[in-house]
Amino acid sequence: MARVVVDVMLKPEILDPQGQAVQRALPRLGFGGISDVRQGKRFELEVEGPVDDAALARIREMAETFLANTVIEDFDVKVES
């Protein structure tokens, strides 16, 4: 069984209020030196069988149609061993 990870992030031009809230909180908590924070989401998919090109194409389709809102979000698909 293989794990495929789909990382979803807001596109750079989209305002990220949650990321900004984290960025503002960090110095108050003693964590300096962070100039920007962007928040996203991560999906870990356990895939039955081999992760071949067909399986990855299906997962990309899943990400594009269900896991990410491609109007405002970008996504990346990668296989973890």
Side-chain angles (χ1 to χ4, degrees):
M1 191 170 297
R3 175 177 291 167
V4 177
V5 175
V6 179
D7 289 313
V8 179
M9 295 294 295
L10 286 171
K11 291 182 176 180
E13 64 272 20
I14 302 297
L15 182 65
D16 181 1
Q18 292 177 320
Q20 290 176 341
V22 170
Q23 182 187 4
R24 286 191 302 269
L26 290 174
R28 290 193 313 267
L29 298 170
F31 299 104
I34 305 298
S35 62
D36 192 22
V37 175
R38 301 287 291 176
Q39 183 172 315
K41 52 192 170 186
R42 172 185 171 109
F43 298 91
E44 295 181 354
L45 309 171
E46 300 294 331
V47 179
E48 296 176 358
V51 180
D52 53 14
D53 290 344
L56 285 174
R58 185 143 173 83
I59 291 170
R60 285 188 184 94
E61 179 185 3
M62 180 190 320
E64 188 169 350
T65 59
F66 181 66
L67 300 178
N69 177 350
T70 56
V71 174
I72 62 170
E73 297 173 320
D74 292 324
F75 67 88
D76 183 50
V77 176
K78 60 186 168 218
V79 179
E80 284 190 348
S81 50

